[in-house]
C-alpha cells in the first residue's frame, strides 16, 4: 500500500522530533533520554562539541576510553565523570622520522611525570621535548563527560582540540618497550633484532 504525502510528512516530522530529543540533552540534565532507538558506534577520537549515546555493554565506553591523552578532573557531581585533555608532547626541533612522521608523544597523566618527561630528549633527534597544552575550550582544555544511566552511557565533549593527535596508548607502550630493549641489550643482540622485526 502506498503512503500518502501526509503520512510521509508526519513520519519525517516524527523522525526529526526524535532526533532533536536525542541531541538536545545536556550531560548535566536531571533526566536523560531513555527512549533511545539507536546507539552510536564508539568514537576513539571524539572532537569538537559532540554528544554520543553508547550501549552500557560497550567495553570502550565502560572504560571511558579516548585516544586523546585525558585525565580525570575534579567534579562536584558524583554521577558524571569529567576528563580533561593534556595536549601532546612534541619535539622542540620539529624533527621528522625517516618516513616523514612528526613526533607526537602521549603526555604522562601525573604532573610530576609530565615535568620529568619534558626534561627528556626527543627519541628521534635527541632535541628538547615540549608540551603543547590543549586550549580548545575557550582557552581551557577540551573536556569530556561520561554518565552511566540505565542501559546507556552518555558522552559529551566540550571544545575542539587545537593540537595534533598524540600517539595512542598502545603505540606509546610499544615505543617504550623498544627503548628499554635497546638499552638492555647490545645492538647486535639476537633478542633486539627479534624485537625490531616484530616492530
Amino acid at each position: 500500500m502506498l503512503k500518502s504525502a501526509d503520512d510521509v510528512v508526519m513520519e519525517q516530522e516524527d523522525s526529526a522530533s526524535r532526533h532533536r530529543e536525542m541531541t538536545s540533552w545536556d550531560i548535566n540534565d536531571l533526566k536523560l533520554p531513555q527512549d533511545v532507538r539507536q546507539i552510536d558506534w564508539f568514537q576513539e577520537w571524539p572532537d569538537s562539541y559532540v554528544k554520543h549515546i553508547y550501549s552500557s555493554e560497550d567495553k570502550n565506553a565502560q572504560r571511558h576510553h579516548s585516544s586523546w591523552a585525558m585525565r580525570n578532573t575534579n567534579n562536584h557531581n558524583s554521577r558524571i565523570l569529567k576528563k580533561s585533555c593534556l595536549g601532546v608532547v612534541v619535539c622542540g626541533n620539529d624533527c621528522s622520522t625517516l618516513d616523514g612522521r612528526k613526533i607526537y608523544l602521549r603526555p604522562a597523566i601525573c604532573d610530576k611525570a609530565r615535568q620529568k618527561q619534558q626534561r627528556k630528549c626527543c627519541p628521534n633527534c635527541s632535541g628538547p621535548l615540549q608540551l603543547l597544552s590543549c586550549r580548545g575550550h575557550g582557552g581551557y582544555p577540551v573536556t569530556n563527560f561520561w554518565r552511566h544511566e540505565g542501559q546507556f552511557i552518555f558522552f559529551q565533549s566540550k571544545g575542539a582540540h587545537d593540537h595534533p593527535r598524540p600517539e595512542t596508548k598502545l603505540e606509546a607502550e610499544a615505543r617504550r618497550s623498544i627503548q628499554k630493549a635497546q638499552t638492555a641489550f647490545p645492538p647486535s643482540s639476537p633478542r633486539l633484532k627479534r624485537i625490531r622485526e616484530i616492530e
Side-chain angles (χ1 to χ4, degrees):
M1 184 173 148
L2 290 172
K3 292 180 182 177
S4 71
D6 288 343
D7 289 341
V8 170
V9 168
M10 283 179 61
E11 280 182 12
Q12 289 173 339
E13 286 174 354
D14 279 353
S15 176
S17 174
R18 277 195 306 273
H19 178 74
R20 272 193 305 279
E21 183 185 339
M22 290 302 108
T23 57
S24 66
W25 57 268
D26 184 83
I27 203 77
N28 293 304
D29 290 347
L30 288 177
K31 193 171 190 301
L32 292 173
Q34 290 301 307
D35 184 25
V36 178
R37 294 200 175 105
Q38 184 175 347
I39 56 171
D40 296 313
W41 289 101
F42 187 79
Q43 301 298 310
E44 188 177 351
W45 296 98
D47 202 358
S48 196
Y49 294 81
V50 295
K51 298 175 189 176
H52 295 289
I53 302 174
Y54 300 121
S55 163
S56 61
E57 303 295 314
D58 188 308
K59 298 293 182 200
N60 285 318
Q62 288 173 2
R63 293 190 336 253
H64 313 117
H65 174 74
S66 174
S67 284
W68 297 103
M70 309 291 286
R71 75 163 169 194
N72 291 358
T73 313
N74 287 341
N75 193 6
H76 302 297
N77 187 337
S78 61
R79 295 186 316 160
I80 300 171
L81 174 65
K82 181 179 175 184
K83 294 185 135 196
S84 298
C85 182
L86 293 168
V88 63
V89 175
V90 298
C91 173
N93 292 338
D94 195 31
C95 73
S96 299
T97 59
L98 292 174
D99 59 359
R101 288 183 298 141
K102 293 291 183 183
I103 303 298
Y104 298 135
L105 305 180
R106 188 170 199 80
I109 300 296
C110 165
D111 291 339
K112 280 187 178 178
R114 206 166 42 260
Q115 289 168 1
K116 187 177 173 184
Q117 182 182 30
Q118 291 172 73
R119 289 194 294 268
K120 292 183 177 176
C121 295
C122 170
N124 186 54
C125 74
S126 298
L129 290 177
Q130 295 177 322
L131 174 69
L132 286 184
S133 297
C134 183
R135 297 283 177 248
H137 183 43
Y140 294 95
V142 169
T143 308
N144 290 348
F145 300 88
W146 299 87
R147 181 169 159 187
H148 294 240
E149 289 283 327
Q151 303 171 27
F152 308 107
I153 297 174
F154 292 83
F155 170 85
Q156 185 171 0
S157 176
K158 295 184 180 180
H161 297 275
D162 59 348
H163 54 85
R165 291 179 176 183
E167 62 192 344
T168 65
K169 284 182 183 177
L170 288 175
E171 291 168 336
E173 288 166 10
R175 177 180 48 79
R176 282 193 291 269
S177 65
I178 289 166
Q179 286 173 335
K180 283 180 185 172
Q182 287 173 340
T183 57
F185 302 104
S188 59
S189 118
R191 179 161 178 178
L192 184 58
K193 287 178 184 171
R194 278 197 305 277
I195 290 169
R196 284 188 178 145
E197 287 169 5
I198 291 168
E199 183 193 18

